[in-house]
Structure formats: C-alpha cells, structure tokens
Amino acid sequence: SIIRHLETAASMMYGAKQIRGFCHLCLGQEACAVGMEAGMTLDDPVITAYRAHGWTYTRGVSPLGILAELTGRASGCAEGKGGSMHMYNYNFFGGNGIVGAQVPLGAGIALKLKYMKEQKVCVALYGDGASNQGQVFEAFNMAHLWKLPCIFVCENNHYGMGTSAERSSASTDYYSRGDYMPGLRVDGQDVLA
C-alpha cells in the first residue's frame, strides 16, 4: 500500500537523519485508516494520536506533503512546523503529542457537530497506551451522557511506548471498557473487518 511505502521511506529517512526529532510510524496499523475511511466521508472529522502519518494520507495529504512535513519543509502540511505528531488537513485535526488528550478533543468536536445539527460523526482514535488515562474515561462518559456523534477507536498495537499491554492494563479488552457504551473488537490488520 502507499501508506506502507510512505512509512518505509520515512523510516529510512529517519535512520539517515533526514528527519529530525520524533518520527512515530504507523507500520502495521495501515488497515485501520484505510478500512475506516471506506465507511466515512471526508466531511466526517478525525482526530488521532501521534501515529498520524497513515491517517494524514487518507485524509487527503499527499505523500510529498507528509514527507515534507517530516523533514521540516515549508511545503509540508503544517508548513514544516508540526513534524511527525502534528499534521492537519480539512476535517483532520491531526495527531496529538499528549497521551490521550485527543479523546476529549474528539468529544468536543462531536459536541460541535451535534450543536450545529450536522449529519456527521467524529472519529477519535487513541492507542492502548492511552487507554488508562482518566480523561479518556471522562470523554466516554460525557459523550454517552450527551449522546454525541463520536466513535472512539483504540488502535491497539499491544505496546504503549514500549510497555506491553499486559503489563500496563488489568483488562486488555479495550472494546469492553465502556460498559455503558457498545463496543466491538475488530482485527485492525484486516482492511475489510
């Protein structure tokens, strides 16, 4: 896929020190973005964590725009100022460098959609490393109470900053954590799931 080639190129550029600072690759998580985009429109807003390159591409930024951003070029999608974690486009509110902070922001975007009576849904993604953050549960609670049009997605790559999910979470069935919200487990490596 284009995302896999993009991430492979970014990895090589990072190794060659052409990309400075952080470079959070989404290798192995490509199917999440590609599969979910098939069920959405570009008018549906998305906010994600710091593994944002694949989502940036599916949200309409060219590979050149992503690589330019990673290398700090003005032709990047954030004019070279955002780097790996802070990429933006129309209805794409980028990645977020604060663990779990994008989840309540996603609920806020969904609140705006409901308030303005827009027939859209916000997708707020987070990694398993953010799954134990209090703000994540608070956002789930508010979204459920206020019936916000928001889908919360845990992109579980089984490691939060190098710590295995089993060492950090009493329950790794992340889809079942919102006991008052419906959840389902999907194979994130199966684009058709």
Side-chain angles (χ1 to χ4, degrees), residues 146-168:
W146 297 340
K147 306 294 185 239
L148 300 181
C150 195
I151 299 171
F152 299 104
V153 178
C154 178
E155 290 183 297
N156 180 5
N157 67 6
H158 305 285
Y159 287 90
M161 294 305 293
T163 302
S164 72
E166 289 75 23
R167 289 185 55 220
S168 66

Side-chain angles (χ1 to χ4, degrees), residues 17 28 132 157:
K17 299 189 180 350
N132 295 318
N157 67 6

Side-chain angles (χ1 to χ4, degrees), residues 4-16:
R4 176 62 58 98
H5 291 294
L6 172 69
E7 292 294 76
T8 301
S11 178
M12 290 172 32
M13 292 169 73
Y14 185 74

Side-chain angles (χ1 to χ4, degrees), residues 162-184:
T163 302
S164 72
E166 289 75 23
R167 289 185 55 220
S168 66
S169 300
S171 169
T172 58
D173 291 333
Y174 302 111
Y175 65 94
S176 68
R177 290 237 180 132
D179 58 342
Y180 43 81
M181 291 176 21
L184 68 131

